[in-house]
Amino acid sequence: MRKLIAILSFCAVTLSAGAQSLTITHLSETHSMVQLGGKDRYVMLPVQETAQEAVVKVLSNGREVYKANVSLAIDKTDYLVPLDLGEWNGSSILLDITMRQGRGVRRDPSDDVCWSEMTTVPALTYTNKEKKYRPTYHFSPAWGWMNDPNGMVYKDGEWHLFYQYNPYGSFWGNMHWGHAVSKDLIHWEQLGIAIAPDALGDIFSGSAIVDKDNVAGFGKDAIVAMYTSAGDNQTQSIAYSLDNGRTFTKYAGNPVIMAEDTPDFRDPKLFWDPQSKQWKVILAAGQEVQFYSSDNLKDWTYDSSFGLAYGNHNGVWECPDLVRLPFEGKDKYVLILNINPGGPFGGSATQYFVGSYDGKTFKCDDLPTVTRWMDYGKDHYATVTWSNAPDNRTVAIAWMSNWQYANSVPTTQFRSANSVPRDLSLIRKGKEVLLKSTPSPEMEALRGNPVQLALSTAPVELFDTPQRAYELVIRFNLPKKEDVTFVLSNETGEQVVFSYNAAVQTFSMDRRGSGTVKFSKSFAAVTTAPTTVGGKMELRLLVDSASIEAFGEDFCMTNLVFPASPYNILKMYGNTKADVTLYPIAK
Ligand code: FRU
């Protein structure tokens, strides 16, 4: 029992009560059956991250109803993950488990620690025990792996955030949609699994809308989600919810969109087109995006394609979105497109195209050779916007990681966080029209009492006791042709360097000495954005436990950092003086 308590204290999920009610039979060296005797809802599965994945099948009354790959612990348990059996409550449940390890010299399957440490519990509480790089004000899953934000939709005062989710380990796999809701875009309530894989495949990225006119016939104001069913090939499926996203029912006629000979065919983003008064979907299809239209969300007709030869094609096109934004008295359309690899600093990144859309076809205003990046950091991917956002707002959120190293960042029980939500707008810069991301105004509610700091060349200590989460607004007047550099560092000398370079008109962030960087050869990096340098300038830095998001007049830059302790010293090099407002953030 002592051992069990020690393990659980390392875990995000704790027992509330409950007795072990498992009967385990090893049928062979690699095949075991677990019979569940009690009424507990959750089986706690011991995970060892380095173990090969076992196949865990749930059999209900003798039929396979669910399957997941789980790295069941062999030598030691890193943490426990819950397998929720609530859906099959009342039926006779059997877990059929096949271990994949070549056992070599092992003789006895019951030696594996997973069998002695597997247990059941009636309820879960989330305690977020892994604190070091757990963000303070960015969304991260209570446990498990997260990638793309999915199905974002606003309804009845709630911002819904679904996400690519592996509930059984902190690596990519077993793709489900996880779910969280927020009333203020800051505080998120974790709601666990929303949509689970089925015989059509894993549940890859997609979107959700409110069917106000009940065109699908699922019910007025149903939330209708469309996602990619990732089986042997990729098809698009829909599911609906009549209880504000708490439960979903998959449409019996799935899949609703299929394509011949298109292996990368995914990430449908639904949107309403007021011109044709139809539902549309934009999705990635190889090296282009395709548009489809529908009157009932079930039957879809191909409309058009965009993208071949436009922008960057040095990777797979993924997670597109089309948004309408006002600009100089008219509407323009912005096509957001995520690409991996091919990003400006390696790996994944978000590009965009500004143009027009007539209800059928998107036309880009720029020449095909122009590539525009939405964020100039390394950790801004799978960016999509909320459907049905209030006040005609266009609010986007990005997954704050990069496929180059997402699976190896130094966290254990959870992996990945999202960017802060950002309101999008179009701005003019000379002859160009640029997409601007600004932290959503809700973020300002996070600000604690401001502290004013006058910064010249002497270093300034930010807090008496270093804090992990804060915002800096740095205002300065830079003489023409002058450079300026700001450095955030901690007591061990780990530092992030922010530089404006007048000669080449850029802003850059250097995280090579920012802390733990060696977990991937692609992590240590300097990222650079084009910007206008000189005159009155403002730099906004949103700092959290493991990330820095920089916002200037005409750029943003999102980068992960893993310092040993919080950065607490701000230093400036340059021929100017800066007024700094420091806002502590305590949530
Ligand atoms: C983007 C992506 C999507 C896909 C999902 C799978 O990060 O590759 O294209 O739907 O992740 O998890």
Side-chain angles (χ1 to χ4, degrees), residues 530-545:
T531 188
T532 306
V533 180
K536 270 194 157 180
M537 304 185 66
E538 183 179 298
L539 175 64
R540 217 175 138 183
L541 299 177
L542 294 182
V543 181
D544 203 344
S545 319

Side-chain angles (χ1 to χ4, degrees), residues 193-208:
I193 293 171
I195 309 181
D198 56 35
L200 287 170
D202 277 359
I203 312 297
F204 273 18
S205 287
S207 55

Side-chain angles (χ1 to χ4, degrees), residues 147-148 164 172 175 204-205 266-267 318-319 381-382 403:
N147 57 296
D148 314 357
Q164 287 287 281
W172 185 86
M175 292 330 291
F204 273 18
S205 287
R266 58 176 179 265
D267 309 339
E318 300 183 318
C319 301
Y381 196 56
W403 280 115

Side-chain angles (χ1 to χ4, degrees), residues 82-95:
L83 173 63
D84 184 354
L85 301 173
E87 199 179 330
W88 308 285
N89 198 5
S91 67
S92 153
I93 302 274
L94 191 66
L95 303 185

